[in-house]
Structures are given as structure tokens and as C-alpha cells.
Amino acid sequence: MAVSIVSPALALWRRRLRSDWRDGPRPLDQPRGYAPGPTPDRVLVVGSGPATGWGVLSHDLALPGQLARRLSALTGKGADVDLVATPFMTAAGVARELQGTRLSRYDAVVVVLGIPDVLSLTSSREWDERMSGLVRVLLASCSPDVPIVLAGIPQMQSVRDLDNPLGAVLDLRARSFNRATRALCRGRARLTYVRLSTSGLKPEHDRSASYVYGHWADLIASRLEEPLTSRPAHLDRLAQQRRSRPDDEAERQADLDRMRIVDKPAGAAVQRIAALAREAFGTKFAAVTLIDGDRQSVKAGVGFEGADTPRAFSFCSQTIERSEATVIPDSFADASLDGNPLVYGEPGIRFYAGYPLESPGGYRIGALCVFDTVPRDLSEIDTSLLHSLAKLAERELALEARSAPSVQAEPLLVNGVPRPVSAQPRAVPAR
């Protein structure tokens, strides 16, 4: 009876919701967040509702950026948070959205679902079955030491325009979903339930979207701190090895090709980032490079005239083989560089530090690097700063890719999942 009463009103509200989403503030940048620091943990956030950042213009202010900073503050390490989210993703559609996503490379997974299922009047039995199926997929696909957080549904009456009897009816269903999710986590060490509550928010902040996302990020980060910091040393090493597995070359190249940025002049922002890197590290040279086929293409070079380099001699080709910084204090002491013409000829590289740049699909496509003709001591190199500058360069390259005319007709990859540019992560989170 309740369903028959609320269905007509809910259909009208859903139509208005889609219009609000299209016209309202939402993130338009790359669906990622990061915080600088050593040996960054990699976290995947997947879902809808609060995951998609409605109400702010950047994912840096939404859940990905807020979660990265909160995690880094708790763990003392860096954090890279990737996002796979669409505005109306339901529990039934997650497996499809995750198709192609390399779950094995993540240190933690956060699932944020429920609001679209409530609005679709999904039954509690269907919700339980779908979430149970999703959990089985995640447990089978993620590495055995990876924690999985299942976020509960916020109070439905806090969603815009649902502070009314309709919201109260929907909240009853949301609570039943949360009970089922809590029960699903019970007795499973790797699963943790977190309710995205709005209680405890200060009145002056309760309508600030970025503050709410920060509050939710605190709740999630507090549950991830212990599993991410208390791993035995051998599991920590295994996690680093997972993150640093070389990308499949064919898929990596295909993702770079989709971006349509090779051999095109770098934008002013990318050039400034390269110049800032050279100044920050006090080196003679700096560059943003792309590894394209069997060559290294210089997207932006400072201190030298950019020219293609055979990949076989490229320092940056080594950099994309790992997920962290590659630092060569003295190339003369590195046996793998014996006979390299970039070392023993021009420009005579003795010192190199580079950080991999990722495509929107999560493939390592190039590097931000600084290098010099004199060796350096390893202790002088701030890899956290290099990480931060690389992430800035990544964002600018992603913007260049999105603005390329041909990209509008081609799907981009979001964590390995093809998705049209027009369907970048969207949703209406609870307020």
C-alpha cells in the first residue's frame, strides 16, 4: 500500500532530480583525489549518491579528495583515491560498472550505494541479494588483505526536497537496507559497515557540501586506518608489488591513444608545472613526457629543446613500470644504464627523479621528471613533492584530453571502464 501511495509522487520527484543534477553544481574534473606522502595507499570508491560529489565543483572537495587527505593524516602515508561512480548506479549495476577495473591493485575498497535503490523502491530482499552478490565479487577479486567498507545510506530526509512525509516513508526503506548491510558485514573481518550519518554536524556547516563530505570522509577513514597501518611488513611489500605491476602494454597504449594528446603542444598549465618542478628541485632540466609506442615524446620540456627519445634509452620508460617515484641518484653507479647515450652523450644525465602520470583509465602513460648533469644524494629528494606535482600534471592532461574535439565522439576509460565524456560521475548525495 505504501508503495502505491508514494510511487506517483516519487516519479515526479525523480524527474525533477535529474533536471537538478544536470543544472546544479557537480564536479567536472578528473574523478580522483590524492594526498602527498610516502608509499601512497590506493583506494577505490565505487557507487552513487554521496560518491559523486553533487554540490561541489571539484572531486578535491568531494569524497575522493577529502578521503585522501583524512587517510594520509591518519596513516602518515600518501593516498590516491580513484572513483567509479554514476548518479543513479544501483546495487544491481555495480558489477557492470566495475567491468575491466583492476581490483587487485587497490589497498582498500569503499562501496557507497543505496539512494538510487531506495528511490527505485527496490525491495529489501532484492537489496540483500544484490549486495551479497557484490560482496562475493569483491572478496574474490580483491587481494586477501584488502579491507572493504560498505557505507550505509544517509537519512533520506536530508536529501534535497525530501524533508517531508515522502522522505519519511523512504527513510524506513533506507533503514531496512542498512540493517541488511550491517548483517552482511557481521562476522567478516574484511568487511566494515559505516553509516554516513549527518548527526554531530555544526549548524553553521550543515548545509556546506564540502563540510559534509569531509565529515563522511572522517567516518570512513577512521575504519580504514587500522587495516592500512597494522599490516605485517611482508603484506605491505606485497601491496606495493601489486600497485607496481606493469600495465598491459596494449591496454596502456590504447588508453593513451584515446586521449589524443601525443604530439600536441602542451597547454600553459602543463608548461608551468614542469617549470615549477625544475625550480622546486633546483635542477637544470624538467619535463612532462609520454611513452608512446617505442618512443618517449616530450610534452613539455624546461631547460632543453624537447625531442623524441627511443624508448629503449628512456628513463621515463623505467618510471612507468612502477606506481611510485623512480630516483636515480647517480647514473654512473647504475649498471642498467651502461652505454645509455643520454648518460654518456648529450645531455649527460647523472641524476634523475620521475613520478608516473596516469591516464583517466588508470594506466601509466608517462612521467613528470627532473634531471641534471650532476649526481644528487638520495636524501635530498622530496618524493612527496614530486607526487603532488605529478598529480597536478595528470589533471591538466586529462583536461586537455576532454577538450580535444575527437574525444567527444570516443569513450574515455574511468578505471578501465569505457564511459562517454557526457556521463562522467554524477549523483545527488544526501544533504
Side-chain angles (χ1 to χ4, degrees):
M1 183 180 295
V3 170
S4 62
I5 292 173
V6 302
S7 288
L10 196 54
L12 290 172
W13 187 85
R14 279 198 298 262
R15 283 199 291 272
R16 188 167 70 250
L17 183 67
R18 291 178 183 273
S19 176
D20 286 349
W21 167 256
R22 185 181 62 251
D23 301 329
R26 54 190 170 90
L28 299 175
D29 56 352
Q30 198 174 4
R32 285 185 183 158
Y34 81 95
T39 58
D41 289 313
R42 186 136 210 169
V43 179
L44 174 66
V45 175
V46 58
S48 52
T52 53
W54 192 89
V56 296
L57 297 176
S58 168
H59 286 293
D60 191 54
L61 297 174
L63 199 56
Q66 302 274 14
L67 180 58
R69 289 190 292 276
R70 262 57 174 196
L71 270 178
S72 181
L74 291 174
T75 65
K77 299 187 288 182
D80 291 326
V81 178
D82 293 342
L83 176 68
V84 174
T86 58
F88 304 106
M89 186 193 301
T90 64
V94 178
R96 181 177 62 253
E97 294 294 334
L98 286 178
Q99 223 171 19
T101 301
R102 294 163 292 165
L103 293 171
S104 61
R105 70 193 197 126
Y106 290 101
D107 298 295
V109 175
V110 179
V111 179
V112 184
L113 290 168
I115 291 180
D117 290 271
V118 171
L119 298 178
S120 300
L121 298 179
T122 299
S123 71
S124 296
R125 181 180 59 80
E126 288 174 321
W127 170 261
D128 189 30
E129 290 175 352
R130 292 169 183 176
M131 288 299 290
S132 296
L134 173 59
V135 164
R136 286 194 295 272
V137 169
L138 293 177
L139 290 175
S141 304
C142 296
S143 298
D145 59 315
V146 169
I148 299 168
V149 170
L150 303 183
I153 306 167
Q155 186 179 16
M156 292 300 297
Q157 287 170 296
S158 63
V159 176
R160 183 179 176 184
D161 296 333
L162 281 182
D163 187 14
N164 52 40
L166 174 61
V169 172
L170 295 175
D171 200 48
L172 292 175
R173 184 156 301 212
R175 290 180 187 179
S176 72
F177 286 7
N178 286 343
R179 285 193 295 271
T181 305
R182 258 197 317 270
L184 192 59
C185 295
R186 200 169 294 130
R188 289 170 148 166
R190 290 175 58 193
L191 297 184
T192 302
Y193 172 81
V194 176
R195 173 75 188 277
L196 297 187
S197 170
T198 54
S199 63
L201 294 180
K202 297 178 181 178
E204 63 268 26
H205 291 130
D206 63 1
R207 294 195 178 276
S208 167
S210 62
Y211 185 86
V212 174
Y213 289 127
H215 174 68
W216 288 338
D218 277 331
L219 297 174
I220 295 170
S222 66
R223 299 302 184 92
L224 290 176
E225 177 188 8
E226 195 273 336
L228 290 179
T229 56
S230 64
R231 281 187 305 207
H234 73 281
L235 289 181
D236 223 18
R237 287 193 297 272
L238 285 175
Q240 292 180 38
Q241 290 170 9
R242 285 198 306 269
R243 290 193 296 267
S244 290
R245 285 175 185 162
D247 291 328
D248 178 89
E249 179 58 25
E251 293 176 2
R252 189 201 69 79
Q253 184 64 48
D255 217 22
L256 175 60
D257 292 341
R258 267 184 286 269
M259 294 180 73
R260 312 288 194 198
I261 59 174
V262 180
D263 295 328
K264 292 185 178 179
V270 175
Q271 290 282 3
R272 284 197 297 269
I273 292 166
L276 179 59
R278 182 177 76 155
E279 182 178 349
F281 286 89
T283 55
K284 191 173 181 179
F285 312 106
V288 171
T289 66
L290 300 171
I291 303 301
D292 178 39
D294 60 0
R295 63 171 177 149
Q296 171 188 283
S297 175
V298 177
K299 183 73 174 174
V302 183
F304 68 103
E305 291 188 11
D308 286 0
T309 300
R311 184 170 179 175
F313 303 136
S314 165
F315 286 60
C316 293
S317 184
Q318 295 184 34
T319 299
I320 69 167
E321 296 300 308
R322 321 176 56 233
S323 64
E324 299 177 312
T326 294
V327 181
I328 302 173
D330 185 355
S331 59
F332 283 4
D334 191 327
S336 69
L337 296 172
D338 285 350
N340 189 310
L342 300 179
V343 176
Y344 295 95
E346 290 294 330
I349 299 173
R350 290 290 300 278
F351 161 76
Y352 170 92
Y355 205 96
L357 301 174
E358 293 189 355
S359 67
Y363 291 90
R364 297 191 285 270
I365 56 171
L368 169 70
C369 62
V370 292
F371 50 106
D372 213 328
T373 54
V374 293
R376 293 275 184 102
D377 190 275
L378 187 61
S379 62
E380 299 176 25
I381 309 308
D382 186 348
T383 55
S384 294
L385 175 59
L386 195 62
H387 176 213
S388 296
L389 292 171
K391 290 301 175 183
L392 292 176
E394 258 180 30
R395 291 186 179 189
E396 293 303 325
L397 293 177
L399 287 173
E400 287 188 19
R402 290 182 63 182
S403 65
S406 57
V407 172
Q408 298 298 326
E410 297 259 350
L412 284 175
L413 289 186
V414 176
N415 291 305
V417 182
R419 183 170 298 124
V421 170
S422 60
Q424 292 294 315
R426 307 174 178 178
V428 177
R431 278 291 165 275

